[in-house]
Structures are given as C-alpha cells and as structure tokens.
Amino acid sequence: MASSDSEFNPDLLLAHKLPETRSTYNERDVAIYALGVGACGQDAVDSHELKFVYHENGQEHVQVLPTFASLFSLGSLTDGLDLPGFKYDPSLLLHGQQYIEVYRPLPSKASLINKVSLAGLQDKGKAAILEIETRSYDQGSDELLCMNRTTVFLRGAGGFSNSSQAFSYKNYPSNQGLAVKIPKTQPSAVCEERTQPSQALLYRLSGDYNPLHSDPNVAKLAGFPRPILHGLCTLGFAIKAIIKCICKGDPSAVKTISGRFLATVFPGETLITEMWLQGLRVIYQTKVKERNKAVLSGYVDIRGLSSSL
C-alpha cells in the first residue's frame, strides 16, 4: 500500500505543478540510441538504417528516429515524482504504454525544456496506474517538438484513496492510445530482427539505468530468470521496422506512435513485427519468435504516402 507524508487530497494533487526538466543531446547520443534499438544490427551497411548512425552520402547530420523522443520523459518517472499525498517506489515500476506525438523531425542535436504534467492517476487497490505527459520545447526557439504520454503500473502504490470510491483521474482524449484490434488478414509487411544478447546493456547507455535490465540478481528478485529488455527498446525496434517497410526509410513520415507493452522480451530473442496499413494508420503487433508470444501492439499514424514512400 502506498505510504505518504500527508493525507491524500485530490484537490491538492490536481493543483500541484510538476517541475520542468531539461535535456541536452548531440549526434553521438542519437547514434548510440539508434544502435540500441538495432539500427544496422543485421546489416552494417543497411541502406535504410545507416543514416541513423552515419553521415551517409554526404548528409550534413545523422537522422533521428522518432522514438528517440521517448527518452525525454525518462527522468521524471525513474527519479520519482513528488506528488502530494502519493508516493511510490521507482524500482517497482512497470511500463504499460507509451504515446508519442512528433510535430516535426527531431534535430540531431538540441537543448530542450520538458514541461511535465499529471495526465492520469488511478487507485487499483494493491497498485496504481500513473500517467505523465511531457511536452518538449526547443530551448532556443520555444518550438514544441514532441509530446510523450507515459503510462506506468506501480506495484505496491495503491490504496491511497481516502473515500470508499477509488480515486480515478484522466485528462486526455479517450481515443488516444487505445488498445488496437489486430486484423485477421495477411499483414501488409513483416519484419524479423534478432536482438543481441547485449541489447539491454547497449540500450541503457541512452539513459534508462534500471538494474532490472542489467543485473541478474535484481532480475531474479523481480521474478525473472535473467535481465529483461527495456520496453522502450522493443518499441524502438518495432517503429524502426515500420519506417523501413512502410515508410521506405523516411522517419519524417511518422506523426503519432502508440504502443502497449504486453509481455517481456529477453535480450537475444527474435522480434517479428507484423504491420497492417489502413489508410494513414499502421496497425502493428510484435511477437517473440522463439516463444510465439505477442509482446507489443499499437499503431502509427503517418503524414502521407507519396510516390517515394
């Protein structure tokens, strides 16, 4: 059950302003992230992926995968949010869902101001569901670049409501980030990629240092036989596959990303991402080949399909 220094007061919680955070990154960070989600992992000179890690064909800057935006929301949750009357243990956090809106292609280097707000909180008894929205602005121009909405399941953090009715709050449109229905038809495209045994160790260099993904003892205490892959790493693999197979390698085609994490992935397993193109929306599902288990599903909205896509 959640512990708190003060009694839970819904009005106080909803009026509370969360502090801004700041992010600075450069091309090295962009390339390390791309490698962390498998860019050029199957083919070191992949024509669709080399541009994410190298100045291919004389391009001035490396290109940025849209899921790089997910890193801007990391600090708030992993460090622990200061919410009045509500406390949680960041080490017991499970990632449930990620929703991203990208308003323009991300620059290869930038300094950002991240404005953080509470998007949702639900008391589930023994656990709680917490949703945080992060809007990232270019520090120099104040241009809004992207928005993340992160949904996490917090074990042991429930039971904080004072009334007989469990507290439940959500402040965003109900049609955003909904679970998708996977079509029963043949997919428009299928991409198969094997993750490396060291994938989580490489991905963690982008800022998610939760020992659940690197320390075998911590993983065993959490009930896993060995460290698991970051959910956002799996999401990166899936969206990279959509960019390659549907968008013909153009990351700027991605407008909105929604992903729901269904099960864990172990580094070294093979990911199969199936994609169904429905107008300007791509429905996708990612499975672990070795266990034939769905681990991620969602949708990607794209800006358009030109003759070059």
Side-chain angles (χ1 to χ4, degrees), residues 62 64 108 134 141 143 155-156 281:
V62 297
V64 186
S108 60
T134 305
S141 66
E143 180 184 6
R155 293 170 291 173
R281 173 164 289 187

Side-chain angles (χ1 to χ4, degrees), residues 12-163:
L12 190 62
L13 175 79
L14 297 180
H16 182 68
K17 301 296 183 184
L18 293 170
E20 295 178 352
T21 65
R22 294 177 183 266
S23 306
T24 299
Y25 67 89
N26 56 33
E27 285 200 341
R28 183 175 186 272
D29 300 313
V30 169
I32 288 175
Y33 171 81
L35 293 170
V37 297
C40 297
Q42 316 297 313
D43 178 0
V45 293
D46 188 304
S47 60
H48 288 302
E49 299 181 355
L50 191 58
K51 60 192 164 201
F52 300 124
V53 297
Y54 176 69
H55 300 85
E56 184 186 18
N57 297 325
Q59 67 185 33
E60 187 176 355
H61 306 289
V62 297
Q63 295 189 33
V64 186
L65 285 163
T67 46
F68 184 77
S70 66
L71 302 181
F72 308 151
S73 62
L74 279 179
S76 300
L77 287 166
T78 55
D79 295 339
L81 288 170
D82 181 19
L83 294 171
F86 178 75
K87 304 295 179 185
Y88 67 93
D89 183 349
S91 68
L92 297 178
L93 179 156
L94 291 175
H95 205 153
Q97 188 168 324
Q98 192 77 14
Y99 176 83
I100 306 170
E101 292 181 354
V102 183
Y103 304 118
R104 77 167 181 85
L106 297 174
S108 60
K109 58 180 179 179
S111 293
L112 307 177
I113 297 174
N114 304 305
K115 297 184 179 182
V116 186
S117 62
L118 179 68
L121 180 62
Q122 299 175 58
D123 189 342
K124 293 295 185 180
K126 293 184 179 181
I129 295 175
L130 175 64
E131 298 179 280
I132 296 298
E133 186 172 290
T134 305
R135 293 182 174 270
S136 299
Y137 297 79
D138 180 82
Q139 188 172 320
S141 66
D142 290 331
E143 180 184 6
L144 178 60
L145 299 181
C146 60
M147 182 273 282
N148 278 271
R149 189 179 301 115
T150 305
T151 303
V152 294
F153 185 79
L154 302 171
R155 293 170 291 173
F160 57 85
S161 304
N162 295 325
S163 65

Side-chain angles (χ1 to χ4, degrees), residues 270-284:
T270 304
L271 299 176
I272 298 177
T273 299
E274 300 169 308
M275 307 156 234
W276 291 264
L277 182 59
Q278 299 181 347
L280 293 179
R281 173 164 289 187
V282 182
I283 304 295
Y284 71 91

Side-chain angles (χ1 to χ4, degrees), residues 192-195 266 268-272 287-290:
E192 179 176 320
E193 286 189 273
R194 181 179 178 270
T195 66
F266 294 101
E269 291 187 315
T270 304
L271 299 176
I272 298 177
K287 296 179 179 179
V288 166
K289 181 179 182 179
E290 290 81 359

Side-chain angles (χ1 to χ4, degrees), residues 252-264:
S252 69
V254 174
K255 179 182 178 182
T256 303
I257 298 166
S258 181
R260 181 165 294 196
F261 304 103
L262 307 174
T264 54

